Amino acid sequence: MHDIELRQYDIRTDLALEAKEMAQSGKDGRLTGITTETVTEDGITITRMSVDNEEGAKAIGKMVGRYVTLEVPGLRNRDTELQDRVAEVFAREFEAFLERVGVSRNAKTLIVGLGNWNVTADALGPLVVENTLVTRHLFELMPDQVAPGYRPVSAVAPGVLGITGIESSDIVFGIAAQTKPDLIIAIDALASKAVERVNTTIQIADTGIHPGSGIGNKRKGLTREILGVPVIAIGVPTVVYASTIVNNCIELMAEHFRRQTDNAAPILGMLHAISGEERLQLVKEVLQPMGHDLLVTPKEVDSFIEDIANIIASGLNAALHEAVNMDNTGAYTR
Amino acid sequence: MHDIELRQYDIRTDLALEAKEMAQSGKDGRLTGITTETVTEDGITITRMSVDNEEGAKAIGKMVGRYVTLEVPGLRNRDTELQDRVAEVFAREFEAFLERVGVSRNAKTLIVGLGNWNVTADALGPLVVENTLVTRHLFELMPDQVAPGYRPVSAVAPGVLGITGIESSDIVFGIAAQTKPDLIIAIDALASKAVERVNTTIQIADTGIHPGSGIGNKRKGLTREILGVPVIAIGVPTVVYASTIVNNCIELMAEHFRRQTDNAAPILGMLHAISGEERLQLVKEVLQPMGHDLLVTPKEVDSFIEDIANIIASGLNAALHEAVNMDNTGAYTR
Amino acid sequence: MHDIELRQYDIRTDLALEAKEMAQSGKDGRLTGITTETVTEDGITITRMSVDNEEGAKAIGKMVGRYVTLEVPGLRNRDTELQDRVAEVFAREFEAFLERVGVSRNAKTLIVGLGNWNVTADALGPLVVENTLVTRHLFELMPDQVAPGYRPVSAVAPGVLGITGIESSDIVFGIAAQTKPDLIIAIDALASKAVERVNTTIQIADTGIHPGSGIGNKRKGLTREILGVPVIAIGVPTVVYASTIVNNCIELMAEHFRRQTDNAAPILGMLHAISGEERLQLVKEVLQPMGHDLLVTPKEVDSFIEDIANIIASGLNAALHEAVNMDNTGAYTR
Amino acid sequence: MHDIELRQYDIRTDLALEAKEMAQSGKDGRLTGITTETVTEDGITITRMSVDNEEGAKAIGKMVGRYVTLEVPGLRNRDTELQDRVAEVFAREFEAFLERVGVSRNAKTLIVGLGNWNVTADALGPLVVENTLVTRHLFELMPDQVAPGYRPVSAVAPGVLGITGIESSDIVFGIAAQTKPDLIIAIDALASKAVERVNTTIQIADTGIHPGSGIGNKRKGLTREILGVPVIAIGVPTVVYASTIVNNCIELMAEHFRRQTDNAAPILGMLHAISGEERLQLVKEVLQPMGHDLLVTPKEVDSFIEDIANIIASGLNAALHEAVNMDNTGAYTR
């Protein structure tokens, strides 16, 4: 269908923050049903956002729930001191998030690293899992010998459909049914609408993982409804749709004309004409030769992904285990 | 306990073929309850062995069941032509094995790659999984479009306890409960008693995987009893216990003395004295400085494991899908 | 300087074919000093191009020399049969190219894999080197035992400045001075102006490698002048500059307006206004938030690069050694 | 020749410390021409040894020169705190070693990581190189901007003959001729005679690398004589010859008999009979089925090698650059 076919060239983002920005830019004002709070600490911008009701959800196209976003443009410079600080802030925010969601301090936790380990841009989840401190087996095999300050944590990377032949959600469901965690944390690579947010942004959400979100085209979700326990999603944008770059480009050109032109009238008419469906048609045309809508990623994706996976793993270890803090978390992530 | 402590320095092998050799060498004769048939084709020795009853099982310390072993010393030379031939023979033997076990031609199959992907010598299972052709999702998502000659195959590498915090058998059980396969094929790295069999031998068995077998110290097994469907185990020895090397050495020295000595009487007395418990005490002494019984592996393990994992994956693809044969199986293993 | 600063946002390509296309599109006609010949075989388009003199070189901004380009859009589908055919065609074209350049059949050859093995999009060269058949040591150590049909080939991946602290050209120069090859083949990842050519195009050139070409920002070249022997460059575009995508987008919008508008006059005026320097200004503005001109690559870069590196390695093995052909080249690339 | 053929089954070690132990055990006394000093600090045993003259060299079969050995059995437990301490001690000893050898504080340094990156047990050198801080390019490109406390360091992994077709020494010679370092540090994996020293011992020597040393069968050395500048070798035993295990076993059996027997006379006669050539014959016999003398390595080699490579890289960074110390060296090794 024509309508749906073009829809896929619309600007797509997995970040609630960007969805809100887009919704606002159209409205020139505040959105109802959305609460946000932003603080900046030494190069790290933290936005705590809440989609309070269906009105808010509809306005920005994201689910009712809590979202925390860390934006750290400086991560591009691969400064290890900043990386340590981000891990610390992430740990603090994640711990507070767990509390707000009502997860108890010793909730048995299953960490799920979604994505394809053979595709660097999609390997965030598996990389985090590789670096998390797992302890569940110690609680099972020698409960008397586990030092205080730890909780039972297990971690799996279920792979993707093309590798296993099984939906990742089915694998997680099967494992959860067998091991009965109280909390599931799912890590996934996301798509952003802004190249500058790629590999520099972390989103925490209590909404779980939904079909079609992330960059791996899931067909089934991982949600509290399905799994029966809270599912907290941690995501990092690692790619941008090529269509989004083209969309951005068209918008910036329009802006450019608006600014540069005295005799703006006829031009602005033109530019309004290319809003909506016609713009999508134009995007489609630009992308035609590639055959499909490419997901693009900065060339240096390999090292950025590894850095941010380490940040998240360190932060999770510190947030989940009282006995782990930022001074010794390095000992657990290798 | 003294008794148990020394037991661990006894010669240990996961190969039924070696267990039989050892049992025979003590008895100088035929074993009852064991049937074997051996053929050699162009550098590949195939032994089809059956442990027919409990008497046989007790005699060799392996379970009642069918075992097929391929021995190919030439694999050490990394000759790709030989590798292709081994894959072909493996595919043929495996297909015949499935038939004998009574598995139907379109049985939905789950391939399980056991072991730790971070330890080369234990990575056989995960490497095979990486190279198997998975099709289950095609049958699920577009059953009408799957060409004839394929069956639904899925494949997972469940990791090991230290990585996930979950027993691999629990992960497999959970996934099997969710996806309901008719057949499970479990691939695992094994320990041999003979260095020359390392990375040159493939064992197929219908007995499943048992606690403590393989090189990864499993605590729970993967068997038909637990999983409710046939479990076929494919194993390759990739390591030898250091204690086994020492044991071999003592035996060969004894032999040496027997051959070289005219005045054998007092010497043979000495050598008999070091059989049994005293020999184990001696082994323990030799290994003392290492703190524990090492599993050793040839230095070139990396490339050998990759080669043999490819052979098994190619062979499985050809054996499981009629449409795949040795001319095109390369197209599926990358 | 303002001028230079904007220059970097111009459309940049390492493919002579694209440089020619761009030069032609501006001129609506034939270019003098450039000869091209194009044939298409079963999904593979081969363009043999020659920049005959300085006039031609200036027209397209590429050096005087011979260029052969293979375009294979179908490589995106990862069809192994097509990959084999491309390797065959590449081997044939490369052999003919060597002949035209005047390289003898037993010229001692050094293969140089340029690029950073830690960055997937830049790892083409090292990956090819990993899969080429090296024979030089056999000629050195046991010349009598080398079968006919081989020539002495060595292969190195010199790394990049940030990894070694040494210019890759200095490393190659040092190794060449020590080992005295008659021919150097340098493989490098390139930038294209068209996303659809990424990972689907192979360029062969007899011009060597020049400073600033490829995606790794070389400061010194690898040329016949410097090294004293012919240097043949093999390149595959693996990335596109983000600025190029924006440039393409602006051009396509202009085209769109031209087509869609009756009352074209004022609009076309606008669009001409954004040609040249102003367009670059606009590109710069779009890219501002990222801080610099990103190189982007399709998300699936990992597997595409591995495929095309295998194609090139197989093709090189067959082209360099008479005894190797497409039936047995697989035996040499692992 | 019979004599040479058996010689290869003699106990072989690349550690000067072990060579001395073996020489002493035969002599029951002090060796002339060898000076040693041993200190133990908190689980780390440091032996500073000097082979003072040809007499000493002949006695132990190692070259005249200085040797420092760090033995840390506790490294098997993968305790990160101990690893940090070992890196610190290594940095201190290495710095003192440089001073004794007479290397100036700003000597331009080339670090050479010998070995085969495709074989885990031989990958120590390449792994260290991957983690060293290289700065030479900064001194070349922007000398004014390099902060004080650094010296020019470059680093290469030349690969092995089977991969490049070129002797690693030829590659190093070519690069050194081109870049003119004042000091070369060569890192290599070694063979030990004791399994318990594998992956727990670091040797520093000012004798360079000699043909046939290390586990990679070099045909040419890297020495001050050849390269014209001091060559300091850093080695870690990662393998043991299978023949060494068998030799150890025979010796321990002899010892066992001596202790256990009252009527020792005839037995001791037997055991003396198997010293020397006959013992080697016995070793050869034991190893016959494998076709050659295997190098064996503990199964967990992958993680041990990574750990010790990190220790050496951290230590080198701190020893070579005054501005780097153990608190910030982690920032440079990734």
Side-chain angles (χ1 to χ4, degrees), chain A residues 331 334, chain B residues 289-292, chain D residues 42-43 72-83 85-86 196 198-200 300 303-304 307-308 311:
Chain A
R334 299 164 179 278
Chain B
M290 316 174 200
H292 67 297
Chain D
D42 227 354
V72 199
L75 282 179
R76 264 186 209 296
N77 308 326
R78 309 200 60 199
D79 164 5
T80 49
E81 206 214 303
L82 176 61
Q83 291 171 2
R85 257 188 313 119
V86 177
E196 67 269 23
V198 164
N199 296 322
T200 63
E300 305 82 353
S303 40
F304 287 141
D307 288 349
I308 211 158
I311 288 170

Side-chain angles (χ1 to χ4, degrees), chain C residues 242-254:
Chain C
S243 59
T244 298
I245 295 182
V246 178
N247 271 306
N248 289 348
C249 163
I250 292 172
E251 252 157 58
L252 271 146
M253 275 187 74

Side-chain angles (χ1 to χ4, degrees), chain A residues 76 118-122 195-196 215-216 239 242 245-250 252-254 256-257 259-261 266-267 270-271 274 278 281-282 285-286 289-290 292 294-303, chain C residues 76 118-122 195-196 215-216 239 242 245-250 252-254 256-257 259-261 266-267 270-271 274 278 281-282 285-286 289-290 292 294-303:
Chain A
R76 266 188 207 295
N118 292 329
V119 174
T120 311
D122 198 19
V195 179
E196 68 268 24
I215 70 176
V239 295
I245 294 182
V246 177
N247 271 307
N248 288 348
C249 164
I250 292 172
L252 271 143
M253 275 188 75
H256 175 82
F257 280 130
R259 273 199 324 266
Q260 305 269 319
T261 319
I267 300 297
M270 286 303 296
L271 291 164
I274 62 156
E278 211 175 350
Q281 187 64 47
L282 185 56
E285 228 166 84
V286 177
M290 314 177 203
H292 67 295
L294 230 53
L295 282 163
V296 296
T297 185
K299 169 175 78 86
E300 304 83 352
V301 62
D302 309 67
S303 40
Chain C
R76 263 186 210 296
N118 293 329
V119 173
T120 311
D122 199 18
V195 180
E196 67 268 25
I215 70 175
V239 295
I245 295 182
V246 178
N247 271 306
N248 289 348
C249 163
I250 292 172
L252 271 146
M253 275 187 74
H256 175 83
F257 279 131
R259 273 200 324 267
Q260 305 269 319
T261 319
I267 301 297
M270 286 303 296
L271 291 165
I274 62 158
E278 210 174 350
Q281 190 63 49
L282 185 56
E285 225 165 87
V286 178
M290 315 176 203
H292 67 295
L294 229 55
L295 283 163
V296 295
T297 185
K299 170 174 76 88
E300 303 83 352
V301 61
D302 309 68
S303 39

Side-chain angles (χ1 to χ4, degrees), chain B residues 1 4 24-25 38 55 66 71 93 108 121 124 135-136 139 146 152 157 191 229 237 239 247 266 283 295 309 315:
Chain B
M1 290 216 322
I4 283 163
Q24 270 176 325
S25 84
T38 301
E55 194 185 357
R66 290 184 190 81
E71 292 172 273
E93 290 292 325
K108 291 194 291 174
L124 177 80
T135 51
R136 178 183 172 276
F139 282 87
V146 183
V229 295
V239 296
N247 270 307
V283 174
L295 282 163

Side-chain angles (χ1 to χ4, degrees), chain D residues 220-268:
Chain D
K220 293 184 190 175
L222 289 178
T223 62
R224 183 171 206 151
E225 288 68 45
I226 294 172
L227 291 155
V229 295
V231 180
I232 297 184
I234 299 174
V236 171
T238 63
V239 296
V240 168
Y241 284 94
S243 59
T244 299
I245 295 182
V246 178
N247 271 306
N248 289 348
C249 163
I250 292 172
E251 253 156 58
L252 271 145
M253 274 187 75
E255 188 120 338
H256 175 82
F257 281 130
R258 252 177 243 128
R259 273 200 323 266
Q260 305 270 319
T261 320
D262 289 338
N263 181 16
I267 301 296
L268 284 179

Side-chain angles (χ1 to χ4, degrees), chain B residues 34-85:
Chain B
I34 310 276
T35 340
T36 58
E37 172 192 54
T38 301
V39 288
T40 297
E41 303 181 4
D42 226 353
I44 306 171
T45 301
I46 304 160
T47 306
R48 300 183 197 100
M49 178 170 147
S50 154
V51 178
D52 299 319
N53 50 38
E54 281 308 319
E55 194 185 357
K58 213 182 148 192
I60 69 167
K62 296 289 161 197
M63 301 196 60
V64 171
R66 290 184 190 81
Y67 301 83
V68 171
T69 314
L70 270 60
E71 292 172 273
V72 198
L75 282 179
R76 266 189 207 294
N77 308 325
R78 307 197 63 200
D79 164 4
T80 48
E81 205 214 304
L82 176 61
Q83 291 171 3
D84 289 349
R85 253 189 315 120

